[in-house]
Amino acid sequence: MPFETLDRERILGWLREAAPEPLAALWAHADAVRCENVGYAVHLRGLIEVSSYCARQCEYCGLRAGNAKLTRYRMNFEEIVQCAHDAVRLGYGTVVMQGGEDPALSQDFIADVVRQIKSETSLAVTLSLGERPQEDLIAWRKAGADRYLLRFETSDRDLYDRIHPPRGDQPSDRIAILRQLQEIGYETGSGIMVGIPGQSYQSVVEDLLLFRELDLDMIGIGPYIPHPQTPLGQASHADAHPSPLPEGEGAMQIPGDELMVYRLIALTRILCPDVNIPATTALATINRKNGRELGLMRGANVIMPNLTPVKYRALYEIYPDKACVSETATQCNGCLRRRIASIGRVVGNSKGSRKKQYV
């Protein structure tokens, strides 16, 4: 299958490809596209998991408001700023402040944190705080935030609504919010989970094409890993993996295994040559030995080492058995740098902003 014309039919074919030789060609081509468009550098973006409180009831996420067994925490101003200084010490160009959709992370609080980090460091600041009012997003951009991450998870509207109940009577339209973020002036990131119960091959094809349509700056792809204290995590095996639908092979349930994640990373790199693509922590969770390395060798160019204080890290339990929860920030940094060097890549020494390749 040629790479030059990745239409719906050819993308579907690659998602279903299982033979070693064609897959090896896919990995090699994606890696070549990565090298040509974003180079050999792997950008390290320090992750600060600022709050495990969340007002949403997403069917798969351990942070959901209905999970009464989760011990909640919220980092204070000084702790977050100290993590930013740790990022500088460790040579990172970016920090990513991530949290549940926590109303206590007010517009003023986040704006003050961003201003403090920007005044004391040269770091790029990325926010990943869920769906927020437009006035919050504008205020945080004015305070100096550079990027915003908001995964749309699936472009299948019916499936999205089933796993993401609305917050009160507020409709959820993450595609519209992503466009809004771009208009405000953020570098904008999004992404999907793969293997959601009821997610078809064809819907993932549409996800990939939507990546390109949205002209995103960063795209994250990870396996679906439900938390056991959630409705989907407690569903029976039969319920969690419905039978194939009758419309054809594209309507069958797509697996969320490691190989499918690599296929999607590679195809995303080919479709969106100059974007930043992380080898995610979720990928490292399902393959602790070399999941991140294989992601980097198949199109990815970003890793997010964890800066969250160890006392909080295990409590940020989006899904179970998350990788690297007991390592200090310094230990995590050393481990990742060795892993990157082991595959012949180098650590980036810049903020790693997307450099769009205009035609």
Side-chain angles (χ1 to χ4, degrees):
M1 289 178 285
F3 297 107
E4 292 77 11
T5 53
L6 280 179
D7 57 17
R8 286 175 171 82
E9 181 179 355
R10 289 188 174 92
I11 294 171
L12 179 60
W14 279 114
L15 293 180
R16 300 184 67 82
E17 182 60 66
E21 287 189 9
L23 286 176
L26 176 64
W27 312 146
H29 185 69
D31 197 47
V33 172
R34 183 272 309 158
C35 180
E36 179 180 354
N37 288 273
V38 299
Y40 282 93
V42 177
H43 299 290
L44 300 182
R45 298 182 170 176
L47 181 63
I48 312 172
E49 295 158 331
V50 296
S51 173
S52 67
Y53 287 89
C54 190
R56 304 303 287 256
Q57 294 282 11
C58 300
E59 297 274 296
Y60 58 90
C61 179
L63 302 190
R64 70 191 307 265
N67 182 4
K69 294 189 176 181
L70 186 67
T71 300
R72 307 282 178 169
Y73 73 90
R74 187 179 295 118
M75 291 176 63
N76 64 37
F77 185 98
E78 291 76 17
E79 289 173 321
I80 298 170
V81 173
Q82 179 57 55
C83 286
H85 285 286
D86 290 341
V88 174
R89 172 177 59 84
L90 295 169
Y92 305 159
T94 300
V95 288
V96 181
M97 292 168 53
Q98 183 183 83
E101 204 162 300
D102 180 0
L105 297 177
S106 68
Q107 179 187 126
D108 288 345
F109 177 81
I110 295 298
D112 288 345
V113 171
V114 171
R115 275 191 290 267
Q116 191 77 8
I117 292 172
K118 298 297 280 191
S119 70
E120 295 183 359
T121 76
S122 60
L123 294 166
V125 175
T126 301
L127 301 177
S128 182
L129 302 173
E131 300 174 35
R132 300 292 299 226
Q134 184 177 25
E135 54 267 28
D136 290 359
L137 302 174
I138 292 172
W140 298 340
R141 179 72 182 117
K142 288 181 177 178
D146 302 277
R147 305 168 184 149
Y148 203 97
L149 305 182
L150 183 68
R151 300 209 327 184
F152 62 76
E153 305 297 13
T154 174
S155 59
D156 181 330
R157 184 71 220 191
D158 290 341
L159 178 58
Y160 180 87
D161 288 342
R162 288 202 299 274
I163 65 173
H164 292 91
R167 183 177 170 184
D169 59 356
Q170 295 292 323
S172 176
D173 188 344
R174 292 193 171 188
I175 308 304
I177 297 172
L178 287 165
R179 292 192 168 107
Q180 185 182 88
L181 288 163
Q182 291 172 324
E183 291 174 1
I184 292 169
Y186 285 98
E187 282 188 58
T188 305
S190 193
I192 62 169
M193 297 183 296
V194 60
I196 305 166
Q199 183 182 40
S200 69
Y201 278 84
Q202 192 58 54
S203 76
V204 173
V205 172
E206 298 306 317
D207 293 340
L208 291 172
L209 294 173
L210 183 58
F211 290 159
R212 185 166 61 181
E213 177 189 333
L214 288 171
D215 192 26
L216 297 164
D217 301 301
M218 181 171 174
I219 298 169
I221 298 163
Y224 162 75
I225 308 175
H227 192 283
Q229 298 299 323
T230 64
L232 285 176
Q234 294 172 355
S236 70
H237 183 80
D239 291 336
H241 298 281
S243 300
L245 301 174
E247 289 85 352
E249 66 174 14
M252 294 179 67
Q253 170 73 41
I254 193 166
D257 58 23
E258 183 182 353
L259 182 58
M260 186 58 71
V261 175
Y262 296 140
R263 289 188 187 99
L264 288 166
I265 288 173
L267 291 167
T268 299
R269 174 57 67 197
I270 296 165
L271 286 164
C272 308
D274 59 5
V275 301
N276 286 308
I277 301 175
T280 64
T281 303
L283 183 55
T285 296
I286 62 173
N287 179 355
R288 281 172 159 76
K289 181 180 178 181
N290 62 351
R292 284 191 178 109
E293 290 94 320
L294 290 172
L296 291 172
M297 294 165 67
R298 295 167 180 181
N301 69 317
V302 170
I303 290 181
M304 292 187 179
N306 206 322
L307 294 169
T308 310
V310 172
K311 66 179 179 179
Y312 297 133
R313 201 174 298 181
L315 303 178
Y316 195 77
E317 198 173 308
I318 295 177
Y319 50 81
D321 199 27
K322 191 169 63 171
C324 307
V325 296
S326 61
E327 294 180 346
T328 67
T330 299
Q331 289 170 330
C332 184
N333 172 68
C335 174
L336 290 178
R337 288 178 182 271
R338 289 190 294 273
R339 287 174 179 267
I340 290 165
S342 75
I343 59 170
R345 299 278 284 279
V346 298
V347 174
N349 58 5
S350 71
K351 296 178 183 179
S353 295
R354 177 188 176 198
K355 297 178 176 62
K356 295 185 181 183
Q357 305 295 321
Y358 295 103
V359 178

